[in-house]
Amino acid sequence: MIEENMKSVDEAIGGACGRAGRARDEVTLIAVSKTKPVSLLREAYDAGARDFGENRVQELLDKIPELPSDIRWHMIGHLQRNKVKYIVDKVAMIHSVDSVRLAEEISREAVKKGVFVDILIEVNVAGEESKFGAAVWEVPKMVEEIAGMPSVRIRGLMTIAPYTEDPEENRQFFRDLKKLSVDIEHKNIDNVDMSVLSMGMTGDYSVAIEEGATCVRVGTGIFGERRPQQ
Ligand SMILES: *Cc1c(COP(=O)(O)O)cnc(C)c1O
């Protein structure tokens, strides 16, 4: 089942790239495997997945040693500062940096461990009260403050768009995130590039790709429905 799901997601990504006049290799599919057992991650790996997304530190730490070492792990969930030390040298990218203080902690731990950490700034583009992420207006100043920190590199922006039945409703939010990323890119800040735009989930990744996503985070579309997390 997972192999077929991966195939249809891949086809949909290809279709969206085609409509947007983009090359297929501009978009990375992140298989969001939270709550799913290692056996299913292994199936996705065998079907070609190399980028996996998890949203909890402990789950990430439990899964990493169980799976092949060429997997790029993406931390996509809310991250507490006291847990940063466990993951900085284990993940390819942290998508969920939403405060200067969190970035400071990542920088401090990265320096200690002698690694560079790629991060994205999580933006609450829709201004939803229930969501983490920086407000759009806060982001440029945050980026400037974080740019000066050693051993972290801002690579772009991430957003979790509202849940909706109609992905068209999120198109404007994806456009807003793209616009913010272009505005920041134009500032030419040292140590900052805006090459990554992590947006789009199972319900809306095609629209996100049409609007410029370079990473889509797909869970349900690959692994099936999840039980609700507490
Ligand atoms: C769970 C999750 C996803 C995947 O959601 P689906 O709708 O199952 O594709 C993507 N991004 C984040 C941050 C998530 O927590």
Side-chain angles (χ1 to χ4, degrees):
M1 177 195 83
I2 286 181
E3 192 180 354
E4 284 159 34
N5 290 348
M6 293 258 306
K7 216 175 263 170
S8 52
V9 171
D10 184 65
E11 277 169 19
I13 291 174
C17 286
R19 287 193 296 282
R22 304 178 61 196
R24 171 63 185 84
D25 65 4
E26 287 177 41
V27 179
T28 301
L29 170 60
I30 298 177
V32 176
S33 47
K34 63 190 186 198
T35 79
K36 298 296 177 182
V38 163
S39 57
L40 294 189
L41 277 70
R42 166 70 67 168
E43 267 187 56
Y45 179 90
D46 290 339
R50 290 297 178 272
D51 292 87
F52 286 79
E54 289 283 341
N55 69 340
R56 293 188 176 188
V57 168
Q58 190 56 54
E59 195 174 339
L60 192 54
L61 295 173
D62 290 342
K63 284 174 173 172
I64 289 173
E66 300 288 324
L67 286 149
S69 59
D70 61 342
I71 289 176
R72 291 174 293 273
W73 294 94
H74 297 258
M75 177 60 191
I76 61 174
H78 183 62
L79 180 57
Q80 287 169 316
R81 278 179 293 143
N82 62 358
K83 296 197 174 156
V84 165
K85 57 178 175 287
Y86 303 118
I87 64 160
V88 277
D89 56 345
K90 299 192 173 62
V91 294
M93 192 138 70
I94 300 175
H95 292 230
S96 43
V97 178
D98 61 358
S99 72
V100 170
R101 289 174 78 204
L102 176 58
E104 265 165 7
E105 183 62 20
I106 294 169
S107 174
R108 187 160 38 237
E109 289 300 328
V111 168
K112 249 194 230 171
K113 296 202 161 68
V115 294
F116 276 87
V117 184
D118 285 339
I119 64 169
L120 304 178
I121 306 300
E122 180 175 352
V123 188
N124 183 357
V125 261
E128 288 179 286
E129 261 177 47
S130 59
K131 291 256 169 81
F132 293 108
V136 170
W137 63 268
E138 297 179 291
V139 176
K141 180 151 179 287
M142 262 177 76
V143 167
E144 280 178 28
E145 284 181 49
I146 296 169
M149 297 177 190
S151 299
V152 289
R153 264 187 308 232
I154 299 180
R155 303 298 315 279
L157 306 176
M158 176 270 220
T159 198
I160 304 173
Y163 178 78
T164 167
E165 297 282 323
D166 176 10
E168 285 300 329
E169 288 179 7
N170 283 339
R171 189 179 291 278
Q172 189 59 47
F173 298 128
F174 298 140
R175 274 188 195 159
D176 291 346
L177 195 71
K178 172 72 183 183
K179 178 179 183 304
L180 180 61
S181 109
V182 169
D183 288 349
I184 292 170
E185 184 126 64
H186 284 161
K187 294 176 181 228
N188 283 320
I189 305 165
D190 272 356
N191 199 32
V192 172
D193 77 78
M194 283 284 135
S195 53
V196 178
L197 218 45
S198 171
M199 58 188 194
M201 306 179 12
T202 296
D204 55 18
Y205 65 86
S206 292
V207 172
I209 290 168
E210 289 166 15
E211 298 303 332
T214 69
C215 280
V216 291
R217 308 178 309 265
V218 179
T220 311
I222 293 174
F223 295 104
E225 295 287 342
R226 287 178 297 276
R227 301 223 181 101
Q229 286 179 293
Q230 70 284 18

Short mmCIF file of all heavy atoms in Angstrom, two decimals, residues 103-142:
data_model
loop_
_atom_site.label_atom_id
_atom_site.label_comp_id
_atom_site.label_asym_id
_atom_site.label_seq_id
_atom_site.Cartn_x
_atom_site.Cartn_y
_atom_site.Cartn_z
N ALA A 103 16.43 29.60 18.54
CA ALA A 103 17.58 29.60 17.63
C ALA A 103 18.89 29.73 18.41
O ALA A 103 19.89 29.10 18.07
CB ALA A 103 17.44 30.73 16.61
N GLU A 104 18.86 30.53 19.47
CA GLU A 104 20.05 30.69 20.31
C GLU A 104 20.47 29.37 20.93
O GLU A 104 21.66 29.03 20.98
CB GLU A 104 19.74 31.67 21.47
CG GLU A 104 20.14 33.08 21.20
CD GLU A 104 19.49 34.05 22.20
OE1 GLU A 104 18.84 33.61 23.19
OE2 GLU A 104 19.64 35.26 21.97
N GLU A 105 19.49 28.64 21.38
CA GLU A 105 19.77 27.34 22.00
C GLU A 105 20.33 26.36 20.96
O GLU A 105 21.27 25.61 21.24
CB GLU A 105 18.49 26.79 22.64
CG GLU A 105 18.66 25.48 23.38
CD GLU A 105 19.61 25.56 24.58
OE1 GLU A 105 19.85 26.68 25.08
OE2 GLU A 105 20.10 24.49 24.99
N ILE A 106 19.76 26.38 19.77
CA ILE A 106 20.25 25.51 18.70
C ILE A 106 21.70 25.88 18.37
O ILE A 106 22.56 25.01 18.23
CB ILE A 106 19.35 25.63 17.44
CG1 ILE A 106 17.95 25.07 17.73
CG2 ILE A 106 19.98 24.90 16.25
CD1 ILE A 106 16.91 25.38 16.66
N SER A 107 21.97 27.17 18.29
CA SER A 107 23.32 27.64 17.99
C SER A 107 24.30 27.18 19.07
O SER A 107 25.37 26.64 18.78
CB SER A 107 23.32 29.17 17.87
OG SER A 107 24.63 29.66 17.72
N ARG A 108 23.91 27.37 20.32
CA ARG A 108 24.78 26.99 21.43
C ARG A 108 25.12 25.50 21.40
O ARG A 108 26.27 25.09 21.52
CB ARG A 108 24.09 27.35 22.75
CG ARG A 108 24.93 27.16 23.99
CD ARG A 108 24.41 27.96 25.20
NE ARG A 108 22.97 27.99 25.29
CZ ARG A 108 22.25 29.11 25.32
NH1 ARG A 108 22.82 30.28 25.29
NH2 ARG A 108 20.93 29.05 25.40
N GLU A 109 24.11 24.68 21.20
CA GLU A 109 24.34 23.22 21.19
C GLU A 109 25.11 22.78 19.95
O GLU A 109 25.89 21.84 19.99
CB GLU A 109 23.01 22.48 21.28
CG GLU A 109 22.34 22.57 22.64
CD GLU A 109 23.19 21.98 23.78
OE1 GLU A 109 23.95 21.02 23.53
OE2 GLU A 109 23.10 22.50 24.91
N ALA A 110 24.87 23.49 18.83
CA ALA A 110 25.58 23.15 17.59
C ALA A 110 27.07 23.45 17.74
O ALA A 110 27.92 22.66 17.31
CB ALA A 110 24.98 23.91 16.41
N VAL A 111 27.38 24.58 18.34
CA VAL A 111 28.78 24.95 18.58
C VAL A 111 29.43 23.88 19.46
O VAL A 111 30.52 23.38 19.17
CB VAL A 111 28.89 26.34 19.23
CG1 VAL A 111 30.30 26.60 19.74
CG2 VAL A 111 28.46 27.43 18.24
N LYS A 112 28.74 23.51 20.53
CA LYS A 112 29.26 22.50 21.46
C LYS A 112 29.59 21.20 20.76
O LYS A 112 30.58 20.54 21.05
CB LYS A 112 28.19 22.21 22.53
CG LYS A 112 28.53 22.69 23.92
CD LYS A 112 27.57 22.03 24.90
CE LYS A 112 26.95 23.08 25.81
NZ LYS A 112 25.86 22.51 26.63
N LYS A 113 28.71 20.80 19.85
CA LYS A 113 28.88 19.50 19.18
C LYS A 113 29.68 19.61 17.90
O LYS A 113 29.91 18.60 17.23
CB LYS A 113 27.50 18.88 18.91
CG LYS A 113 26.74 18.56 20.18
CD LYS A 113 25.68 17.50 19.94
CE LYS A 113 25.22 16.81 21.21
NZ LYS A 113 24.45 17.67 22.13
N GLY A 114 30.05 20.83 17.52
CA GLY A 114 30.85 21.02 16.32
C GLY A 114 30.11 20.70 15.03
O GLY A 114 30.68 20.16 14.09
N VAL A 115 28.82 21.03 14.98
CA VAL A 115 28.04 20.78 13.77
C VAL A 115 27.40 22.08 13.28
O VAL A 115 27.33 23.06 14.04
CB VAL A 115 26.92 19.73 14.01
CG1 VAL A 115 27.52 18.37 14.31
CG2 VAL A 115 25.97 20.16 15.13
N PHE A 116 26.98 22.08 12.02
CA PHE A 116 26.17 23.18 11.50
C PHE A 116 24.74 22.69 11.38
O PHE A 116 24.51 21.58 10.93
CB PHE A 116 26.67 23.62 10.12
CG PHE A 116 27.80 24.60 10.21
CD1 PHE A 116 29.11 24.17 10.31
CD2 PHE A 116 27.54 25.96 10.23
CE1 PHE A 116 30.15 25.07 10.41
CE2 PHE A 116 28.57 26.88 10.33
CZ PHE A 116 29.88 26.44 10.43
N VAL A 117 23.80 23.52 11.76
CA VAL A 117 22.40 23.10 11.71
C VAL A 117 21.62 24.01 10.76
O VAL A 117 21.64 25.23 10.90
CB VAL A 117 21.75 23.13 13.11
CG1 VAL A 117 20.33 22.60 13.04
CG2 VAL A 117 22.56 22.31 14.11
N ASP A 118 20.97 23.38 9.80
CA ASP A 118 20.10 24.11 8.88
C ASP A 118 18.72 24.26 9.52
O ASP A 118 18.15 23.28 10.01
CB ASP A 118 19.94 23.35 7.55
CG ASP A 118 21.18 23.46 6.69
OD1 ASP A 118 21.98 24.41 6.90
OD2 ASP A 118 21.37 22.61 5.81
N ILE A 119 18.22 25.48 9.51
CA ILE A 119 16.92 25.71 10.13
C ILE A 119 15.99 26.49 9.19
O ILE A 119 16.44 27.18 8.28
CB ILE A 119 17.04 26.50 11.47
CG1 ILE A 119 17.59 27.92 11.23
CG2 ILE A 119 17.91 25.75 12.47
CD1 ILE A 119 17.47 28.83 12.46
N LEU A 120 14.71 26.34 9.44
CA LEU A 120 13.69 27.15 8.77
C LEU A 120 12.96 27.94 9.85
O LEU A 120 12.81 27.46 10.98
CB LEU A 120 12.69 26.27 8.02
CG LEU A 120 13.25 25.28 6.99
CD1 LEU A 120 12.11 24.46 6.38
CD2 LEU A 120 14.03 26.01 5.91
N ILE A 121 12.51 29.11 9.50
CA ILE A 121 11.66 29.88 10.41
C ILE A 121 10.21 29.49 10.15
O ILE A 121 9.73 29.55 9.02
CB ILE A 121 11.83 31.40 10.19
CG1 ILE A 121 13.30 31.82 10.28
CG2 ILE A 121 10.97 32.17 11.19
CD1 ILE A 121 13.97 31.53 11.60
N GLU A 122 9.55 29.04 11.22
CA GLU A 122 8.13 28.67 11.09
C GLU A 122 7.27 29.92 11.20
O GLU A 122 7.37 30.67 12.18
CB GLU A 122 7.72 27.65 12.16
CG GLU A 122 6.25 27.27 12.03
CD GLU A 122 5.82 26.16 13.00
OE1 GLU A 122 6.68 25.57 13.68
OE2 GLU A 122 4.60 25.92 13.06
N VAL A 123 6.44 30.12 10.21
CA VAL A 123 5.61 31.32 10.14
C VAL A 123 4.13 30.94 10.21
O VAL A 123 3.68 30.05 9.48
CB VAL A 123 5.87 32.10 8.82
CG1 VAL A 123 5.15 33.44 8.85
CG2 VAL A 123 7.37 32.29 8.59
N ASN A 124 3.41 31.60 11.06
CA ASN A 124 1.97 31.39 11.18
C ASN A 124 1.29 32.35 10.21
O ASN A 124 0.77 33.38 10.61
CB ASN A 124 1.57 31.64 12.64
CG ASN A 124 0.10 31.38 12.93
OD1 ASN A 124 -0.68 31.05 12.03
ND2 ASN A 124 -0.28 31.54 14.18
N VAL A 125 1.33 32.01 8.92
CA VAL A 125 0.86 32.97 7.90
C VAL A 125 -0.62 33.29 8.02
O VAL A 125 -1.05 34.38 7.68
CB VAL A 125 1.07 32.54 6.42
CG1 VAL A 125 2.28 33.18 5.82
CG2 VAL A 125 1.05 31.07 6.22
N ALA A 126 -1.39 32.31 8.48
CA ALA A 126 -2.84 32.54 8.56
C ALA A 126 -3.22 33.23 9.87
O ALA A 126 -4.39 33.57 10.07
CB ALA A 126 -3.58 31.23 8.43
N GLY A 127 -2.24 33.44 10.75
CA GLY A 127 -2.53 34.09 12.03
C GLY A 127 -3.49 33.30 12.91
O GLY A 127 -4.29 33.86 13.64
N GLU A 128 -3.39 31.97 12.83
CA GLU A 128 -4.29 31.14 13.65
C GLU A 128 -3.82 31.14 15.10
O GLU A 128 -2.64 30.87 15.37
CB GLU A 128 -4.28 29.70 13.14
CG GLU A 128 -4.99 29.51 11.83
CD GLU A 128 -4.90 28.04 11.43
OE1 GLU A 128 -3.82 27.61 11.02
OE2 GLU A 128 -5.91 27.34 11.55
N GLU A 129 -4.73 31.35 16.02
CA GLU A 129 -4.34 31.43 17.43
C GLU A 129 -3.83 30.11 17.97
O GLU A 129 -2.98 30.08 18.85
CB GLU A 129 -5.53 31.89 18.27
CG GLU A 129 -5.44 33.37 18.56
CD GLU A 129 -6.63 33.87 19.33
OE1 GLU A 129 -7.01 33.20 20.32
OE2 GLU A 129 -7.17 34.92 18.94
N SER A 130 -4.33 29.02 17.42
CA SER A 130 -3.97 27.70 17.96
C SER A 130 -2.61 27.22 17.45
O SER A 130 -2.15 26.17 17.84
CB SER A 130 -5.03 26.70 17.51
OG SER A 130 -5.08 26.68 16.10
N LYS A 131 -1.97 27.97 16.58
CA LYS A 131 -0.76 27.46 15.94
C LYS A 131 0.51 28.12 16.46
O LYS A 131 0.51 29.30 16.81
CB LYS A 131 -0.83 27.72 14.43
CG LYS A 131 -1.88 26.89 13.71
CD LYS A 131 -1.29 25.73 12.94
CE LYS A 131 -2.34 24.76 12.45
NZ LYS A 131 -2.98 25.23 11.23
N PHE A 132 1.58 27.33 16.45
CA PHE A 132 2.90 27.91 16.71
C PHE A 132 3.34 28.66 15.46
O PHE A 132 2.71 28.63 14.42
CB PHE A 132 3.90 26.79 17.03
CG PHE A 132 3.61 26.10 18.33
CD1 PHE A 132 3.11 24.81 18.34
CD2 PHE A 132 3.85 26.75 19.54
CE1 PHE A 132 2.84 24.16 19.56
CE2 PHE A 132 3.59 26.11 20.74
CZ PHE A 132 3.08 24.81 20.75
N GLY A 133 4.48 29.31 15.57
CA GLY A 133 5.00 30.03 14.41
C GLY A 133 5.02 31.52 14.67
O GLY A 133 4.18 32.05 15.41
N ALA A 134 5.99 32.19 14.06
CA ALA A 134 6.12 33.62 14.22
C ALA A 134 5.09 34.33 13.34
O ALA A 134 4.70 33.81 12.30
CB ALA A 134 7.53 34.05 13.82
N ALA A 135 4.67 35.51 13.78
CA ALA A 135 3.79 36.32 12.93
C ALA A 135 4.60 36.88 11.77
O ALA A 135 5.81 37.12 11.90
CB ALA A 135 3.20 37.46 13.75
N VAL A 136 3.94 37.08 10.64
CA VAL A 136 4.63 37.54 9.44
C VAL A 136 5.47 38.79 9.72
O VAL A 136 6.64 38.87 9.32
CB VAL A 136 3.60 37.82 8.31
CG1 VAL A 136 4.26 38.53 7.13
CG2 VAL A 136 2.97 36.51 7.84
N TRP A 137 4.92 39.74 10.44
CA TRP A 137 5.63 41.01 10.67
C TRP A 137 6.89 40.83 11.52
O TRP A 137 7.80 41.63 11.44
CB TRP A 137 4.69 42.05 11.31
CG TRP A 137 4.19 41.65 12.68
CD1 TRP A 137 3.03 40.99 12.97
CD2 TRP A 137 4.82 41.91 13.94
NE1 TRP A 137 2.92 40.78 14.32
CE2 TRP A 137 3.99 41.35 14.94
CE3 TRP A 137 6.01 42.53 14.32
CZ2 TRP A 137 4.32 41.40 16.30
CZ3 TRP A 137 6.33 42.58 15.69
CH2 TRP A 137 5.49 42.02 16.65
N GLU A 138 6.94 39.75 12.33
CA GLU A 138 8.10 39.54 13.21
C GLU A 138 9.28 38.93 12.47
O GLU A 138 10.41 38.98 12.95
CB GLU A 138 7.77 38.51 14.31
CG GLU A 138 6.69 38.86 15.26
CD GLU A 138 6.48 37.71 16.27
OE1 GLU A 138 5.99 36.63 15.87
OE2 GLU A 138 6.82 37.91 17.45
N VAL A 139 9.00 38.29 11.34
CA VAL A 139 10.00 37.41 10.74
C VAL A 139 11.28 38.13 10.27
O VAL A 139 12.38 37.69 10.59
CB VAL A 139 9.38 36.54 9.62
CG1 VAL A 139 10.43 35.71 8.93
CG2 VAL A 139 8.29 35.64 10.20
N PRO A 140 11.16 39.27 9.54
CA PRO A 140 12.40 39.90 9.06
C PRO A 140 13.38 40.23 10.18
O PRO A 140 14.59 39.96 10.06
CB PRO A 140 11.89 41.17 8.36
CG PRO A 140 10.49 40.82 7.93
CD PRO A 140 9.95 39.95 9.03
N LYS A 141 12.88 40.76 11.28
CA LYS A 141 13.76 41.10 12.39
C LYS A 141 14.36 39.85 13.03
O LYS A 141 15.54 39.80 13.38
CB LYS A 141 12.97 41.92 13.43
CG LYS A 141 13.77 42.35 14.62
CD LYS A 141 13.23 43.66 15.20
CE LYS A 141 14.03 44.10 16.43
NZ LYS A 141 13.74 43.25 17.62
N MET A 142 13.53 38.81 13.17
CA MET A 142 14.03 37.54 13.72
C MET A 142 15.17 36.99 12.87
O MET A 142 16.20 36.53 13.38
CB MET A 142 12.91 36.49 13.68
CG MET A 142 12.17 36.30 14.96
SD MET A 142 10.84 35.09 14.70
CE MET A 142 11.75 33.57 14.67
#
